[in-house]
Amino acid sequence: MGLIIKNANVLNAAGELELKDITIEDNRVTGIIDAGSEVEVSGEVIDAAGKLVAPGFIDMHVHLREPGFEHKETIATGTRSAAKGGYTTIACMPNTRPVIDTPETIKLVLDKAATEGIVRVLPYAAITKNELGRELTDFAALKEAGAIGFTDDGVGVQNAQMMKDAMTLAASMNMPVIAHCEDESLVVGAAVNEGTFAKKHGLKGIPNESEAIHVGRDCLLAEATGVHYHVCHVSTEQSIRLIRQAKQFGVKVTAEVCPHHLLLSEEDIPSMDANWKMNPPLRSPRDVQACIEALEDGTIDMIVTDHAPHSQEEKAKGMQLAPFGIVGFETAFPLLYTKFVATGKWTLDFLVKRMTADPARVFGLETGKLEIGAIADITIVDLESVQGVNPETFLSKGRNTPFTDWQLKGWPVATIVDGKLVWSAE
Ligand code: DOR
Ligand code: ZN
Ligand code: ZN
């Protein structure tokens, strides 16, 4: 049994839209032919007339909260939320309870993903036991169990020797180190950026240097160890400067940025509402501009959401006390399409590549492209559909978004993983 997607607008090698029919057999794309041709595949037909048909989106930075924080999200709800956002592959962070720092926990996540998940889930393992920064985890056993990289996301690795040891070991087994960059000595008690909002409300701020100090340190350690070093959620001009320079020197460094750091600054925060609280925080307009330019010039390689669901009770504690994080899956593409593509600033091809081919290239994934022979992970998007963001409709358990009521264009309507329709709007 196959699947045929008719009248698909697909991006060709030149980045232009072409009208095609796509045939899928088992889990592979078997044909991309001129629309309306006679095809001999039996099976379900999806009419994608007027819709974009793209490779399934890939999100290399997400929090699924399982095990341990099932009141915030589960692998079942998180993967449904991802599918609704057009994502077919997501890489989950290990700051769960217990922390994903043993082969058993990796296995638990993979087993749950296989039985309860509807998109591909790639687990990261912690760099240090319990993410405490004191003792390295068993990298070899974690890799063997299926971890795709090492990260203590949620916190930075404070000790430089610990990070160097981690990088040396990871490099020896050809595994990447992924870093949440934050010097804790500079951020004690801070909830928002050190800038205009903090000043106005008399709050302690998170300075740009707290991120950039780790980025600079780690670029030097990556140069010394030869590891593939990936910087999480870049948010400052200074980090970008350091990444750009390291790339020029041939250091194997890659980086990601989140939609909120491309679209919002501290000046947009309307109140002490914790739906505007995330780490790294919303920075200055100048930092936002630097992030946009860095993505445009290739200093930043990809877009990730840092999907970080929290319960409404937790977020109701207010700006100072609520946990950091916002949900991301179900708004990422429409936000970026509306603000950057529909406005003519980026091409559609540029945006799609940063969410598909580029994360696949950086992390050596087989998915991320739509061509004959490729794995049939596919996203269908209605580029004309306009809707307001309504958290009540999210498939995520999280409702924590600053984008409520934003009128956005370009909503995913169907998601195919491994040749099977896993979610559709109808
Ligand atoms: O905003 C964030 N939320 N930043 C992090 O580093 C952690 C994440 C979470 O786990 O909620
Ligand atoms: Zn982080
Ligand atoms: Zn994160």
Side-chain angles (χ1 to χ4, degrees):
M1 279 289 275
L3 185 65
I4 311 164
I5 306 172
K6 285 196 173 289
N7 307 308
N9 282 298
V10 301
L11 290 158
N12 65 16
E16 292 149 358
L17 288 172
E18 280 183 348
L19 198 60
K20 297 284 182 184
D21 287 347
I22 299 167
T23 60
I24 295 161
E25 284 165 83
D26 299 323
N27 66 336
R28 298 271 169 184
V29 174
T30 51
I32 302 178
I33 53 188
D34 288 341
S37 314
E38 291 295 312
V39 284
E40 282 184 28
V41 183
S42 63
E44 200 180 337
V45 176
I46 297 176
D47 187 2
K51 316 257 172 28
L52 168 72
V53 177
F57 303 149
I58 299 171
D59 190 344
M60 295 306 298
H61 187 143
V62 322
H63 297 266
L64 295 179
R65 306 301 190 203
E66 209 175 347
F69 299 106
E70 289 83 357
H71 67 285
K72 298 176 197 265
E73 194 79 291
T74 62
I75 288 169
T77 59
T79 58
R80 276 162 185 77
S81 173
K84 191 177 177 191
Y87 290 94
T88 53
T89 294
I90 57 180
C92 64
M93 288 298 172
N95 61 339
T96 51
R97 189 177 59 205
V99 166
I100 304 175
D101 59 4
T102 62
E104 291 71 32
T105 327
I106 289 281
K107 193 172 168 327
L108 181 134
V109 169
L110 288 172
D111 287 348
K112 282 238 173 201
T115 53
E116 294 164 26
I118 64 166
V119 304
R120 296 177 200 278
V121 175
L122 308 175
Y124 292 112
I127 294 171
T128 66
K129 292 184 182 168
N130 219 8
E131 293 200 0
L132 289 173
R134 299 199 191 114
E135 200 184 338
L136 290 184
T137 56
D138 185 344
F139 282 18
L142 288 159
K143 179 184 181 183
E144 172 72 23
I148 62 148
F150 300 103
T151 178
D152 274 2
D153 185 54
V155 291
V157 175
Q158 300 305 304
N159 184 289
Q161 184 65 53
M162 184 66 66
M163 193 56 148
K164 189 173 184 185
D165 290 346
M167 287 184 174
T168 303
L169 189 55
S172 76
M173 53 180 74
N174 208 12
M175 288 281 272
V177 168
I178 293 93
H180 170 113
C181 291
E182 184 173 19
D183 184 305
E184 285 168 6
S185 68
L186 291 167
V187 302
V188 180
V192 295
N193 187 48
E194 184 178 275
T196 52
F197 186 89
K199 196 170 270 163
K200 185 169 154 205
H201 293 270
L203 302 173
K204 194 166 177 302
I206 301 173
N208 282 23
E209 318 82 79
S210 68
E211 174 179 297
I213 281 173
H214 269 211
V215 173
R217 177 199 75 178
D218 291 353
C219 283
L220 293 169
L221 295 175
E223 182 179 10
T225 60
V227 78
H228 170 202
Y229 168 62
H230 180 78
V231 188
C232 287
H233 40 51
V234 172
S235 72
T236 74
E237 185 187 12
Q238 292 81 359
S239 303
I240 288 162
R241 198 199 301 151
L242 292 162
I243 294 165
R244 191 172 281 135
Q245 189 199 46
K247 282 193 165 185
Q248 278 162 5
F249 278 84
V251 180
K252 243 191 279 170
V253 53
T254 56
E256 59 182 44
V257 67
C258 305
H260 46 274
H261 291 127
L262 296 168
L263 290 165
L264 300 173
S265 80
E266 60 187 348
E267 295 183 1
D268 298 310
I269 308 176
S271 64
M272 293 289 273
D273 177 357
N275 287 324
W276 296 75
K277 176 177 182 177
M278 73 294 286
N279 190 11
L282 298 175
R283 302 285 190 182
S284 71
R286 191 178 158 133
D287 292 303
V288 173
Q289 193 49 39
C291 287
I292 295 169
E293 283 167 20
L295 186 69
E296 289 173 349
D297 75 12
T299 303
I300 294 177
D301 298 81
M302 71 188 74
I303 298 165
V304 302
T305 64
D306 197 3
H307 177 81
H310 294 289
S311 71
Q312 274 160 300
E313 297 70 50
E314 289 161 323
K315 277 300 196 181
K317 290 178 184 162
M319 195 63 103
Q320 192 60 40
L321 295 175
F324 291 98
I326 61 170
V327 291
F329 290 140
E330 294 171 62
T331 51
F333 185 87
L335 278 170
L336 297 166
Y337 181 77
T338 305
K339 298 297 171 184
F340 291 105
V341 180
T343 54
K345 207 165 156 32
W346 297 346
T347 64
L348 177 61
D349 190 58
F350 177 89
L351 172 59
V352 169
K353 285 228 166 70
R354 283 349 23 99
M355 297 174 71
T356 58
D358 288 315
R361 167 182 56 79
V362 165
F363 287 97
L365 309 180
E366 209 193 317
T367 56
K369 49 189 184 261
L370 180 51
E371 60 191 31
I372 294 172
I375 288 179
D377 282 11
I378 292 172
T379 290
I380 306 180
V381 183
D382 185 349
L383 297 177
E384 296 305 319
S385 129
V386 178
Q387 287 172 48
V389 174
N390 177 2
E392 295 307 316
T393 66
F394 288 169
L395 295 184
S396 171
K397 286 192 184 184
R399 298 283 179 268
N400 45 316
T401 176
F403 298 112
T404 300
D405 289 339
W406 281 40
Q407 290 297 314
L408 302 177
K409 195 173 171 183
W411 292 83
V413 291
T415 306
I416 294 164
V417 175
D418 221 26
K420 287 184 254 339
L421 184 69
V422 298
W423 174 80
S424 92
E426 272 121 52

